[in-house]
Amino acid sequence: MKLEKGKISSSQLMYLMTGFILGSTLLLSFVAPITKQNTWIAILFGGAAGLILVYITSTLAMKFPEKNLVLILETVYGRYVGKIISVLYILFFWMLITFNVKGISDFFVTLIMPETPDIVFIIIIVLLCGYAVSKGLEVIARTSLLLVSIFIIEVILIFILLYKNLDFTNLLPIFDISLSKLVQGVHTITAIPFGETVVFLFITGYVSKIEKARKASLSAVVIGIVIFIIISIRNVGVLGNSCCTIRYPSYQAARLIEVGNILERMELLLAISHIAIIFFKITIYYYATTIGVAQVLNLRSNLPLVYPIGIISVIISSIIFVFHLDSVEIGTNTFPIFSLPFVFFIPLVTLIIVNIKEKNKKKGNI
Amino acid sequence: MRKKCILIMNIIIFLICLSGCWNRRELNTLAVSIGIAVDLTEEREPYKLTSQIVLPSRTEKESNSTKKPYYNLMSEGKTLFDALRNATHESGRKVYLPHTKVLLIGEEAAKRGIVKYLDLFSRDHETRPNLKIIVVKGKASEVLEIESKIEKVPAFSLDKLTEMQKATSQSTVVNLLEFNNNLISKTTEPTCGVIEVNKKNGNKVVEMYGTAVFKGEKLVDYLDDVETRGFLWIKSDVKSGIIVIPSTEENEKISVEIIKEKTKIKTEIKENNIEFTIRIEGDYNVGEFVSDKKINNSETLELIREGVEKVIILEIKSALNKAKDLNTDIFGFGEKVHKKYPKEWSSIEEQWNMLFQDIKVKYEFQTNIHGAGTVSNTAIPRN
Amino acid sequence: MNFFSRKLAYYKLNKENSKVNDENKPKSLLERDIETNITKFKIKFNEMPDVTVRQFEIGNENKIQCAIIFLQGMVDKKIVNESILKPLLYDSFLKQESQKIMPKNINSIDWFIKNIISIDNVSKSKDFDKTVIKCLSGYTIMLIDSYDEAILLDTKGWEGRSVEEPKTESVVRGPREGFTESIYTNTQLLRRKIKNTNLKLENMTLGVQSNTEVSIAYIKGIANTDIVEELRKRLNRIKIDAILESEYVEEFIEDAPYSLFPTVAHSEKPDVIAAKLLEGRIAIFVDGTPFVMTVPMFFIENFQVSEDYYSRPYYTSFLRILRFISYLIALLGPCIYVALTSFHQELIPTPLLITMLGASEGTPFPTILETLGMMITFEILKEAGVRLPRAIGQAISIVGALVIGEAAVSAGFIAAQLVIVVAITAICSFVIPEQVDSITVLRLILIIISGILGGYGIIVSLIWMYIYLCSLRSFGMPYMSPIAPFNLKDMKDFFIRVPIWMMNNRPKLMTENQKKQGADLKPSLPEDKKNKE
């Protein structure tokens, strides 16, 4: 039984992926203490590496139209090994749901409403994402256009409004950074926004014209790189040396907007677009997790799983770390290495195996 | 049956969420503070905080005259946050910080180390990074008592005062973000604005001019108005001001208004000497020309130009000398060397304190005199 | 458990009853003998004094008994008297000496129809029930002795409203005709707009007790045949007592019965319906109401007014954007006010905050209660304004509301700025045409949510609403196109209205026959021949 009957167009795939990549915007502040004013260089290199990763995953997806990740793994590795790897992937994505949920709830608790217990934010965002997942992939793709556009417009708008506060000399000296720190920064950026696009192996299979999928994915990565560079240049330019000590640099930068006496206190705009984009990221992970579990267990539909997975995610999110203090540690040290097999090795090996099988088939035919 | 269970669970979860709006604050539970003054005391607790709370009038009719539209809430504590919360011993409303415009720090407090006062405002989510930091010569809480004739609330008048300083460019206005950036930097020393309380005609008046110079986190000295303008020339921060051209004749008064200026500084390391070329491109207007000379003359214009440049060099030199005396790199020269020569910087950085004393400065000017007002020659009796 | 088993038994019983009604009753037919038929009719029309049975004879040598049966208020008396009775009784050649003599043996009733009856629309029927319904619809039944068929003569004519400007959709520039309650007039008004044989009409009768006539109209070649088929199926599925208004039909054919947003559009003006048909939609006429429905519906139709196309494009584009903004203000105004003053006071500019502090000093209630109270009061005033007789209604609505607001402020119930917020919200909610009902409910829900969670609640609710809107379908068409499946070509009529010479295509999802008009229709100056030479 096909789990997902919907079809999305390749431009919707591009928006989905862009929204997903941009959803890691709060995580840019992880890298700032390490790379300081050279964050944009790290983004550039990380984006280049991300292009390679996305190329691998989208090529893999293109070879298996209408199949999600679990089916691909089962086809390549056989039923049992495939299922084991799928379960690992599902746990990986589930963990990422909890990280991101905790991230957005922490954003709000720290900056806007500190006395509200974070479980309220967690429950509500999980409910919202669960609702979106229960409506199906097509509806998620339809909402992507507006939400992603809101985010991109907000980034550009705040950049323009902050133009007179920008001091480009804050970006100097370029490349004044030790190689090990640069590599660490690049690694983090490759892993977190771009590497996690491996989740799109669940979605790319449903593009109606699948040969356009690769181009759409790569354009999404390019847009992500550009926007991230704009964000990091804006933050470093406006905040100067404090960019490494401030926890949420975009928010503090937005607080500095003072155009005439009219446009002040614009950080609400930032909060709105952050919720929209992180909702997006969590929804895609949530979708992948429910479809993955449904596929592994051979269920007919993923709807009954939405609620239980949501409840478990809420519970886990509320008990994992105090976000920033531990998560910086995890985000820069542990996570890039931990995610390496999921993000890089397994897709690469799978692609190589598929290519070898095709070549063998061709040889066999001849 | 199962659907009913799920529905009940849903309702319970929602009720938990709805059972209180934790962060809801009604407008009439806020004590909106516009300005905060921090002082050291020798009494029970070391820190004294004065928050100026705005008292809105209920209707237009009962405003003015007798009732003051503000009151000063004083509290003390072991740390600044402690002092802030201790205000609730006296006031039924918690102090609400997001609308605070100015932070006044007493001289004594600044001399002992300013970071203790700033961390609260950097860390708290309510305060905004464009909070202005001002050092007060004397006790900070006194300034909040002095009412200006025009504004009703002293803190508002201070806020407007800081914004108006760009008219003379003889004082520094620094916000929390810039101050923190300078603190973090290893070579640049922080500065901030200064206010002093003077007596004029028997009344206390607040005046703002000059700069407070810190070494590390401790206040060391002040720059006066001339030195401050020199400092601002280097930082390319002169927005407007009046330059008085020195003249030998007694009755000749020429004043030039600065329209806008841009300073570019070129850094060069030559034979173990660090040399800075300061290039000032400015547009000026002659605002006052009381003289026998004819203004349409190219000679006169040349004279005015030279006069402007001489004054600027004088101001910059005085600022540089004072900075060298205090051994504080308030101009950010160290950062500039860092940005241009990153490789050499690692070896220079340690000795920046000494190298700062030996820096050489060259001047380049591009002075444009745009106009001289609506009158060409002065209306003076010509005999 | 008793309660549940009782409910279950009741439910099953109801199902059986409705089944009985559905089964085909044996068709009753007319008899040959006219007296029997007349008696049958009289029994059926028992206790209906407005049914008239008029018996007469035709023929000169062999007198044939005839009868006409009609309903007094439903037929046009003039036609009955002049076109049925007079020719048959008076002017017919049958009674006077003339060459035409009625033949001796007339086999079927068709001879009468071809030669004698002087009515334009004539049909015949053997089915008794159908005849009864036709009689109730304004037809005259003619019974002729020794024939088992009845002749149905179309003599419809009753008192009805004349074609006038619709009250709900008045325009400054544009046609002022509106539909009336008679389905025949309505379809005729539509035919006048589209004089094309491709405009197809299908009639059906819905409503077990009311037997209301319902018609589907579509343009063959433009409308999607799948949707027409689906619509037919859904309409035929309706088994209800009576159809009194098109809303009854609408609630049966909707895709999403619980949705807050309407998925079926309606209008009172023939030019609007004609325009929608030309884009590929299907119209549903219901007898007895001037509101005609169209399916499928897109979200943007809430904001499109017919006058948009009858005024200059720049002005109407501006008005369209203004309508969007007003919609947002009407929906979000009070809840943003509540969120800002209860949770996010830091986002209010300082001078305004100080004034608001002064105004809120003595108010007893928390902001959310104040706002809820004022919004509900406003709804009450609005409803009262509708119900009151016109003379008093005007006085109460605007002046009364403001006075009440002022008085409440002076008494210390509410803060002064709340009156402004409510006034702006009220005015904005009247800018968007028609679909005001969903805003009212949504607004109240949003106020409650923003009172609990502030800005976060509002944003999450808005995203929720957006997801809901994107998932809505109207007869299979995504509700939010052209935004949701993004289609740049269809955006020509969304935020702005491009000039008509630019609108080359019909909406993509609605129909496959997309090309509407030739390209390159932009008006230009006549070519300067002198320059060419």
Side-chain angles (χ1 to χ4, degrees):
Chain A
M1 276 291 275
K2 244 170 43 159
L3 268 180
E4 173 60 54
K5 300 179 189 65
K7 286 258 177 208
I8 59 178
S9 73
S10 63
S11 64
Q12 280 177 333
L13 177 70
M14 185 177 83
Y15 280 113
L16 276 173
M17 204 181 255
T18 312
F20 179 81
I21 292 175
L22 292 176
S24 314
T25 174
L26 288 181
L27 305 166
L28 280 185
S29 58
F30 285 2
V31 190
I34 301 177
T35 52
K36 298 206 172 58
Q37 71 268 21
N38 299 307
T39 313
W40 64 280
I41 300 178
I43 293 175
L44 209 56
F45 287 139
L51 279 172
I52 301 176
L53 289 176
V54 168
Y55 187 84
I56 297 175
T57 49
S58 58
T59 316
L60 190 59
M62 275 171 56
K63 295 201 190 287
F64 294 94
E66 304 257 334
K67 289 198 177 168
N68 54 35
L69 175 63
V70 180
L71 287 173
I72 297 177
L73 290 173
E74 283 185 9
T75 319
V76 173
Y77 293 108
R79 281 194 64 197
Y80 294 108
V81 179
K83 281 220 155 94
I84 296 176
I85 304 182
S86 313
V87 168
L88 287 176
Y89 262 110
I90 292 172
L91 288 175
F92 179 62
F93 295 143
W94 203 335
M95 184 182 78
L96 285 169
I97 299 180
T98 57
F99 279 12
N100 285 298
V101 166
K102 184 73 176 162
I104 185 69
S105 97
D106 194 69
F107 176 78
F108 269 87
V109 168
T110 316
L111 287 177
I112 302 184
M113 293 195 256
E115 280 146 39
T116 319
D118 53 3
I119 195 162
V120 173
F121 293 110
I122 294 176
I123 291 182
I124 291 189
I125 196 84
V126 168
L127 270 179
L128 184 67
C129 300
Y131 180 66
V133 170
S134 70
K135 290 288 177 184
L137 180 63
E138 277 195 24
V139 175
I140 299 176
R142 279 185 224 157
T143 61
S144 64
L145 174 68
L146 192 71
L147 297 179
V148 173
S149 309
I150 288 181
F151 185 78
I152 295 182
I153 291 176
E154 171 260 325
V155 167
I156 296 179
L157 196 67
I158 295 194
F159 184 81
I160 294 176
L161 288 174
L162 279 176
Y163 193 69
K164 60 174 185 115
N165 296 32
L166 265 180
D167 187 8
F168 284 106
T169 59
N170 282 334
L171 290 168
L172 300 169
I174 320 182
F175 282 113
D176 182 31
I177 188 173
S178 64
L179 193 63
S180 64
K181 285 201 170 171
L182 185 64
V183 167
Q184 190 178 16
V186 170
H187 197 176
T188 307
I189 291 191
T190 314
I192 297 185
F194 302 108
E196 293 172 353
T197 54
V198 73
V199 77
F200 271 84
L201 281 171
F202 272 101
I203 297 178
T204 318
Y206 299 105
V207 178
S208 48
K209 288 189 193 157
I210 201 161
E211 56 283 354
K212 290 192 181 175
R214 182 159 59 198
K215 188 171 152 203
S217 313
L218 291 174
S219 1
V221 174
V222 169
I223 297 179
I225 297 176
V226 168
I227 301 281
F228 273 154
I229 291 184
I230 293 180
I231 294 180
S232 76
I233 291 183
R234 175 193 78 195
N235 288 350
V236 173
V238 170
L239 298 174
N241 287 337
S242 306
C243 67
C244 349
T245 57
I246 295 186
R247 271 169 68 162
Y248 294 103
S250 305
Y251 196 76
Q252 297 288 29
R255 275 184 162 171
L256 287 170
I257 298 178
E258 267 183 66
V259 177
N261 257 335
I262 317 169
L263 289 173
E264 295 183 340
R265 305 177 189 269
M266 301 275 283
E267 56 259 28
L268 189 65
L269 198 60
L270 203 111
I272 296 175
S273 58
H274 274 221
I275 294 186
I277 208 76
I278 291 198
F279 146 76
F280 218 70
K281 193 170 180 205
I282 300 175
T283 307
I284 294 185
Y285 277 131
Y286 204 151
Y287 175 77
T289 313
T290 52
I291 293 269
V293 174
Q295 189 72 57
V296 164
L297 299 176
N298 276 328
L299 300 177
R300 262 184 307 167
S301 136
N302 67 335
L303 285 183
L305 291 170
V306 171
Y307 206 60
I309 291 184
I311 294 184
I312 300 179
S313 308
V314 165
I315 297 175
I316 298 182
S317 295
S318 52
I319 61 177
I320 58 176
F321 42 65
V322 176
F323 191 68
H324 242 267
L325 307 181
D326 294 333
S327 65
V328 174
E329 170 74 23
I330 293 182
T332 52
N333 295 334
T334 323
F335 186 76
I337 305 178
F338 169 73
S339 67
L340 207 56
F342 293 104
V343 158
F344 182 58
F345 286 133
I346 295 184
L348 186 66
V349 166
T350 317
L351 189 62
I352 294 178
I353 294 181
V354 169
N355 277 339
I356 294 178
K357 275 194 185 170
E358 279 185 358
K359 281 190 190 163
N360 281 345
K361 262 196 192 169
K362 281 190 187 168
K363 281 188 189 167
N365 282 343
I366 297 173
Chain B
M1 193 58 208
R2 193 203 285 167
K3 279 199 173 172
K4 276 215 160 185
C5 286
I6 294 180
L7 189 65
I8 294 175
M9 258 194 329
N10 274 335
I11 295 178
I12 292 178
I13 294 179
F14 280 123
L15 283 178
I16 294 177
C17 298
L18 298 179
S19 62
C21 322
W22 299 262
N23 248 84
R24 191 170 59 98
R25 276 178 299 213
E26 288 303 317
L27 281 178
N28 46 13
T29 58
L30 297 180
V32 176
S33 103
I34 308 287
I36 294 195
V38 175
D39 274 318
L40 278 182
T41 61
E42 300 305 331
E43 297 154 30
R44 270 194 313 156
E45 316 268 16
Y47 295 95
K48 182 169 125 182
L49 188 96
T50 313
S51 323
Q52 187 148 81
I53 314 286
V54 172
L55 283 178
S57 54
R58 173 87 198 284
T59 54
E60 281 303 310
K61 300 168 199 165
E62 34 170 297
S63 59
N64 307 324
S65 48
T66 48
K67 287 192 183 169
K68 280 199 296 190
Y70 68 93
Y71 78 100
N72 288 337
L73 184 64
M74 297 195 214
S75 54
E76 294 170 358
K78 302 189 193 67
T79 68
L80 210 58
F81 203 1
D82 194 33
L84 192 61
R85 272 305 158 84
N86 283 341
T88 54
H89 286 306
E90 181 188 327
S91 151
R93 303 185 182 187
K94 209 160 74 163
V95 177
Y96 186 65
L97 290 175
H99 291 269
T100 315
K101 309 262 189 243
V102 287
L103 174 65
L104 302 164
I105 305 190
E107 198 176 7
E108 283 302 315
K111 281 189 184 159
R112 304 256 181 110
I114 200 172
V115 174
K116 308 190 245 314
Y117 307 102
L118 292 184
D119 188 70
L120 167 67
F121 295 100
S122 310
R123 211 171 275 271
D124 196 85
H125 69 286
E126 282 183 356
T127 51
R128 306 175 70 82
N130 41 14
L131 178 70
K132 297 190 181 61
I133 306 202
I134 307 178
V135 167
V136 176
K137 285 188 187 171
K139 280 223 170 242
S141 44
E142 276 184 18
V143 176
L144 288 181
E145 305 281 346
I146 302 174
E147 289 183 32
S148 94
K149 299 285 182 293
I150 310 181
E151 303 292 332
K152 293 186 209 150
V153 180
F156 273 140
S157 74
L158 286 175
D159 183 38
K160 296 224 168 123
L161 197 63
T162 54
E163 282 179 25
M164 219 2 111
Q165 290 314 305
K166 60 178 194 258
T168 56
S169 299
Q170 280 170 343
S171 24
T172 312
V173 175
V174 162
N175 63 25
L176 183 62
L177 182 70
E178 287 174 41
F179 200 89
N180 278 338
N181 279 345
N182 289 336
L183 275 176
I184 294 178
S185 157
K186 292 190 194 135
T187 51
T188 312
E189 304 291 351
T191 54
C192 78
V194 180
I195 281 186
E196 61 180 45
V197 179
N198 290 331
K199 280 213 166 162
K200 279 188 181 175
N201 304 333
N203 291 331
K204 284 195 182 169
V205 162
V206 168
E207 287 187 348
M208 183 170 188
Y209 56 85
T211 312
V213 177
F214 290 77
K215 189 149 178 78
E217 57 158 342
K218 301 203 166 110
L219 173 71
V220 285
D221 205 350
Y222 302 98
L223 300 176
D224 67 12
D225 39 1
V226 172
E227 293 158 357
T228 306
R229 189 138 80 182
F231 168 56
L232 289 179
W233 281 116
I234 299 180
K235 280 189 48 175
S236 188
D237 227 354
V238 177
K239 305 240 174 25
S240 179
I242 308 290
I243 297 183
V244 177
I245 311 279
S247 151
T248 46
E249 293 171 41
E250 212 187 279
N251 283 333
E252 193 174 72
K253 307 273 181 217
I254 306 180
S255 317
V256 170
E257 183 189 3
I258 308 169
I259 307 285
K260 76 172 185 201
E261 66 89 20
K262 194 161 173 192
T263 312
K264 294 187 186 157
I265 304 187
K266 213 163 61 165
T267 322
E268 277 167 337
I269 302 186
K270 281 182 183 172
E271 310 150 358
N272 294 333
N273 264 342
I274 307 179
E275 195 175 272
F276 295 96
T277 313
I278 301 182
R279 183 187 164 79
I280 300 188
E281 299 171 0
D283 293 338
Y284 307 90
N285 246 357
V286 177
E288 217 177 351
F289 190 80
V290 181
S291 161
D292 286 343
K293 305 193 184 79
K294 300 237 165 142
I295 195 165
N296 298 330
N297 229 331
S298 56
E299 278 179 20
T300 322
L301 281 178
E302 195 52 45
L303 252 154
I304 297 179
R305 263 193 220 113
E306 278 177 16
V308 165
E309 291 167 10
K310 268 193 217 156
V311 170
I312 295 180
I313 293 180
L314 212 72
E315 290 175 348
I316 296 183
K317 272 194 180 154
S318 61
L320 278 173
N321 288 336
K322 186 77 184 260
K324 283 184 186 171
D325 283 341
L326 298 170
N327 205 1
T328 54
D329 174 14
I330 54 177
F331 312 101
F333 282 147
E335 291 284 331
K336 288 198 167 46
V337 175
H338 180 147
K339 285 174 184 171
K340 187 146 182 205
Y341 299 98
K343 297 200 191 96
E344 291 88 332
W345 179 247
S346 32
S347 48
I348 295 178
E349 197 175 349
E350 317 294 315
Q351 307 151 349
W352 182 246
N353 274 336
M354 294 191 302
L355 288 170
F356 181 64
Q357 304 286 342
D358 299 326
I359 57 174
K360 305 243 178 299
V361 176
K362 271 205 249 175
Y363 303 92
E364 279 176 18
F365 288 94
Q366 186 185 326
T367 320
N368 302 326
I369 311 253
H370 270 217
T374 56
V375 171
S376 55
N377 282 322
T378 325
I380 54 174
R382 293 174 202 270
N383 306 336
Chain C
M1 283 321 270
N2 242 349
F3 173 66
F4 282 118
S5 58
R6 261 188 285 141
K7 273 268 183 199
L8 205 60
Y10 182 65
Y11 174 66
K12 280 190 184 158
L13 193 66
N14 260 356
K15 246 191 163 179
E16 281 166 19
N17 277 346
S18 58
K19 268 195 195 157
V20 169
N21 283 338
D22 288 355
E23 284 166 18
N24 289 327
K25 287 187 259 186
K27 270 190 182 173
S28 61
L29 300 167
L30 294 161
E31 308 283 333
R32 291 216 169 234
D33 182 26
I34 195 174
E35 290 299 328
T36 331
N37 282 338
I38 291 180
T39 322
K40 242 186 173 177
F41 273 106
K42 279 196 174 161
I43 294 174
K44 190 78 180 177
F45 289 134
N46 194 14
E47 288 177 359
M48 286 175 66
D50 38 354
V51 172
T52 313
V53 178
R54 170 76 158 89
Q55 286 179 302
F56 54 93
E57 298 171 344
I58 55 172
N60 35 17
E61 291 171 3
N62 322 330
K63 301 243 188 254
I64 304 181
Q65 297 291 324
C66 301
I68 53 170
I69 304 177
F70 58 91
L71 195 57
Q72 284 284 352
M74 297 284 279
V75 300
D76 191 351
K77 287 286 197 80
K78 208 164 159 217
I79 299 181
V80 171
N81 293 338
E82 306 271 323
S83 307
I84 303 182
L85 289 179
K86 190 164 173 222
L88 288 179
L89 291 175
Y90 197 70
D91 297 333
S92 78
F93 60 82
L94 302 166
K95 283 244 162 146
Q96 294 165 6
E97 291 295 332
S98 73
Q99 289 95 349
K100 294 183 186 168
I101 298 183
M102 198 163 82
K104 291 271 165 92
N105 290 324
I106 304 173
N107 286 336
S108 93
I109 210 167
D110 288 331
W111 185 88
F112 288 94
I113 296 178
K114 280 192 195 159
N115 292 310
I116 302 187
I117 314 278
S118 45
I119 300 283
D120 55 345
N121 190 8
V122 175
S123 59
K124 55 181 183 168
S125 166
K126 284 188 183 180
D127 186 353
F128 179 67
D129 294 309
K130 183 178 166 196
T131 318
V132 166
I133 292 181
K134 285 288 188 194
C135 178
L136 290 169
S137 305
Y139 282 68
T140 306
I141 316 290
M142 182 160 172
L143 297 166
I144 306 185
D145 197 14
S146 74
Y147 294 99
D148 64 350
E149 281 177 302
I151 306 179
L152 308 171
L153 308 164
D154 182 359
T155 51
K156 285 197 292 268
W158 49 69
E159 292 296 323
R161 195 162 58 100
S162 59
V163 173
E164 54 186 22
E165 185 176 7
K167 300 215 174 37
T168 56
E169 293 175 48
S170 45
V171 292
V172 173
R173 172 175 174 173
R176 295 221 174 85
E177 287 177 331
F179 287 126
T180 65
E181 280 74 6
S182 156
I183 197 175
Y184 307 104
T185 321
N186 294 345
T187 43
Q188 168 225 77
L189 283 171
L190 183 64
R191 282 253 180 240
R192 272 184 30 215
K193 300 284 177 192
I194 305 180
K195 301 190 184 81
N196 193 342
T197 51
N198 282 331
L199 176 61
K200 308 287 183 198
L201 279 170
E202 290 177 19
N203 292 339
M204 57 182 75
T205 316
L206 294 177
V208 169
Q209 307 279 358
S210 66
N211 289 317
T212 317
E213 284 198 38
V214 171
S215 290
I216 305 178
Y218 60 94
I219 298 187
K220 191 167 174 184
I222 299 182
N224 194 334
T225 39
D226 292 331
I227 300 184
V228 179
E229 185 55 45
E230 177 66 29
L231 181 63
R232 242 183 252 133
K233 260 198 279 185
R234 291 191 195 183
L235 282 174
N236 283 329
R237 222 190 46 197
I238 300 179
K239 305 244 180 309
I240 184 184
D241 263 3
I243 306 257
L244 295 173
E245 219 272 346
S246 50
E247 173 70 18
Y248 286 61
V249 176
E250 180 178 327
E251 289 184 14
F252 276 98
I253 60 175
E254 277 183 325
D255 265 34
Y258 292 110
S259 110
L260 276 172
F261 294 92
T263 49
V264 173
H266 57 84
S267 172
E268 239 186 314
K269 299 186 71 202
D271 47 310
V272 171
I273 301 291
K276 293 200 172 167
L277 283 182
L278 286 167
E279 280 190 349
R281 294 186 171 83
I282 307 164
I284 305 169
F285 293 84
V286 173
D287 188 27
T289 172
F291 285 94
V292 175
M293 298 183 285
T294 54
V295 293
M297 177 185 181
F298 289 157
F299 181 67
I300 183 60
E301 288 178 43
N302 284 332
F303 298 95
Q304 285 172 340
V305 178
S306 65
E307 213 172 350
D308 277 352
Y309 304 92
Y310 305 145
S311 302
R312 311 280 310 152
Y314 296 105
Y315 181 58
T316 56
S317 302
F318 171 71
L319 282 183
R320 179 80 64 83
I321 298 178
L322 203 66
R323 253 174 251 139
F324 275 122
I325 298 178
S326 307
Y327 186 74
L328 285 176
I329 296 180
L331 188 65
L332 296 176
C335 70
I336 288 186
Y337 170 73
V338 169
L340 281 183
T341 51
S342 304
F343 290 87
H344 306 293
Q345 296 90 349
E346 62 197 28
L347 297 177
I348 308 176
T350 316
L352 184 61
L353 181 65
I354 295 180
T355 326
M356 282 165 80
L357 281 178
S360 315
E361 263 310 296
T363 56
F365 304 114
T367 318
I368 173 177
L369 278 183
E370 275 179 1
T371 318
L372 268 181
M374 279 301 280
M375 292 313 298
I376 294 182
T377 313
F378 167 68
E379 295 300 326
I380 293 178
L381 279 172
K382 203 168 74 168
E383 189 64 18
V386 169
R387 303 269 160 259
L388 281 176
R390 208 165 292 179
I392 319 178
Q394 299 277 28
I396 292 260
S397 51
I398 299 183
V399 177
L402 283 177
V403 167
I404 290 182
E406 266 301 303
V409 169
S410 309
F413 273 112
I414 59 173
Q417 62 264 15
L418 187 56
V419 178
I420 305 277
V421 170
V422 171
I424 295 181
T425 311
I427 295 179
C428 286
S429 69
F430 290 126
V431 170
I432 51 167
E434 303 170 42
Q435 325 280 0
V436 195
D437 38 10
S438 60
I439 263 201
T440 323
V441 177
L442 279 174
R443 193 162 52 200
L444 289 175
I445 297 179
L446 274 175
I447 295 178
I448 297 179
I449 292 181
S450 79
I452 298 172
L453 270 181
Y456 187 70
I458 298 181
I459 302 171
V460 166
S461 319
L462 284 180
I463 298 182
W464 187 292
M465 261 174 51
Y466 185 63
I467 299 177
Y468 178 68
L469 279 175
C470 283
S471 70
L472 267 186
R473 284 179 178 270
S474 171
F475 273 83
M477 300 286 139
Y479 193 60
M480 287 295 280
S481 63
I483 285 225
F486 185 68
N487 189 350
L488 192 60
K489 280 194 194 159
D490 287 344
M491 294 289 279
K492 287 184 188 162
D493 199 11
F494 196 89
F495 288 113
I496 56 172
R497 199 242 331 154
V498 299
I500 298 191
W501 40 265
M502 263 198 218
M503 295 196 206
N504 286 335
N505 293 319
R506 302 195 178 93
K508 180 172 163 191
L509 285 177
M510 201 77 84
T511 165
E512 276 146 27
N513 183 0
Q514 277 181 34
K515 225 159 206 300
K516 191 155 74 158
Q517 59 201 31
D520 205 21
L521 286 173
K522 180 175 168 186
S524 56
L525 295 170
E527 286 183 315
D528 213 275
K529 286 190 182 158
K530 287 183 190 168
N531 281 348
K532 277 215 155 180
E533 288 164 16

